[in-house]
Amino acid sequence: MNLHLLVPALFWPDAGLPDIYRDLSLPALENLIAKCSSDDDESEGLEAWLCGAFGVAKQQDWPVAPLALLVDGAEDIKAGNDYWIRADPVHLHIERDQIVLADSRVFRMSLQEAEALTSVLNQHFAASNQELVFLPLRPDRWYMRVTKTPAAKTHLLSEVANRGINELLPFGVNQTFWRGLFNEIQMLLHSHPLNQSREAHGEPVINSTWFWGGGVMPESPSSPYTSIWSNNVLARSLALASRTDHIPLPPSAAMWQQSAASGHHLVVLDALYGKAQYADAYGWRESLKELERSWFAPLWAMSRQGLFDRITLIALGECKSKNFTARRVDLRKFWRRPKPISIYAR
């Protein structure tokens, strides 16, 4: 059995905070990594890695929107040959001298609220004869089919979360249209009664949408894996597109082992990702401790039992990924002694 373990934000992104690793007990992870050979790759983020793994080329954007329609789309909503783009609801707020974006991980919203907000947008753009229709297929995942509108070049929502947006707005030859649309939507949503109610109840207002992940459906994504284990929407979408088995992520490696047959498996452990993006150091440490208990410790035990022909751990960072790989024979090299995890994070 071969296992690819994809772990975004395994290392804390701020190298200037070395104390974050202090008193972290991670013997299984450190032992496993010690047996591995390692190399570094440039990284464009989780979405780029997943697309690359399935042979999906970047268009103007990574085509997340048409792929995700495989999961989110209704029977009468298919990507077809159309250009689709995500227009996800976000909360913008001012910090110091910049506008900072928060995505749906920091607010709750019902489908009824999403429909109320997009109804206002759709009415406005229909009245102005612009062929723009917002589809709230999930409360936190909105889509827009683009026909006559010029395609956009955008930054992934994951790149923008908890950051100032001034330098991250749509760019390229069509940026004037998309930036103007972004500002127009803010004005429409700002005074919506729903947002006034949310503000009165101390909830973040939904005062904009973030355009990202535009493209047309790629042709025939291919999978190097037998099975995909993940709660990530894009990973599930790519599994569907490539006709690969997809299974929701079990809570532990022990439960995964009960269902995993021979083959080549991709397991996506993204519990650390949001904590790192929002600079939640305590939450990141606690999540890493839980991964040690529920995943790394059982996987290390399985490795010592010779279960894996090859195990690869991809520690995906913002600009660089560290790839750790061990074959069955490497796992018996007792002279490779474990080192503190902070050594690898440098």
Side-chain angles (χ1 to χ4, degrees), residues 36-217:
C36 295
S37 58
S38 65
D39 61 81
D40 294 348
D41 282 333
E42 297 298 316
S43 171
E44 292 186 59
L46 176 59
E47 293 86 356
W49 191 95
L50 286 169
C51 285
F54 286 80
V56 173
K58 188 174 187 179
Q59 300 171 19
Q60 294 201 78
D61 286 350
W62 294 104
V64 173
L67 285 164
L69 278 175
L70 294 172
V71 172
D72 288 342
E75 284 299 317
D76 58 338
I77 300 175
K78 303 294 183 183
N81 296 320
D82 293 328
Y83 181 96
W84 290 83
I85 193 166
R86 288 276 287 271
D88 290 346
V90 296
H91 168 69
L92 303 179
H93 58 281
I94 297 175
E95 288 187 13
R96 301 183 181 90
D97 58 347
Q98 60 183 342
I99 300 174
V100 175
L101 180 147
D103 65 9
S104 60
R105 283 170 294 184
V106 301
F107 59 78
R108 294 182 180 179
M109 184 171 59
S110 68
L111 183 58
Q112 291 74 21
E113 289 177 307
E115 290 172 344
L117 292 175
T118 53
S119 176
V120 168
L121 298 179
N122 288 334
Q123 290 174 20
H124 171 81
F125 290 113
S128 61
N129 294 320
Q130 297 188 53
E131 295 185 8
L132 302 173
V133 179
F134 293 80
L135 301 174
L137 301 182
R138 294 292 184 272
D140 59 342
R141 298 197 292 275
W142 300 358
Y143 295 78
M144 193 167 69
R145 181 192 278 116
V146 177
T147 53
K148 296 181 180 179
T149 305
K153 284 189 175 182
T154 71
H155 291 275
L156 296 165
L157 182 59
S158 59
E159 293 180 275
V160 188
N162 199 37
R163 293 184 177 177
I165 65 171
N166 291 347
E167 305 301 323
L168 298 172
L169 292 168
F171 61 99
V173 294
N174 300 321
Q175 69 177 39
T176 300
F177 171 85
W178 287 99
R179 293 186 181 196
L181 183 60
F182 177 75
N183 292 330
E184 192 171 359
I185 290 170
Q186 287 182 65
M187 290 187 286
L188 289 168
L189 297 183
H190 173 73
S191 58
H192 193 284
L194 175 60
N195 274 328
Q196 294 177 357
S197 174
R198 290 179 66 92
E199 189 170 26
H201 288 87
E203 299 176 25
V205 298
I206 311 304
N207 52 8
S208 191
T209 63
W210 189 257
F211 298 111
W212 69 285
V216 299
M217 177 63 77

Side-chain angles (χ1 to χ4, degrees), residues 8-9 12 103 105 161-162 270-280 284:
W12 186 251
D103 65 9
R105 283 170 294 184
N162 199 37
D270 56 3
L272 302 169
Y273 195 35
K275 305 294 192 304
Q277 285 182 302
Y278 282 92
D280 179 4
W284 180 86

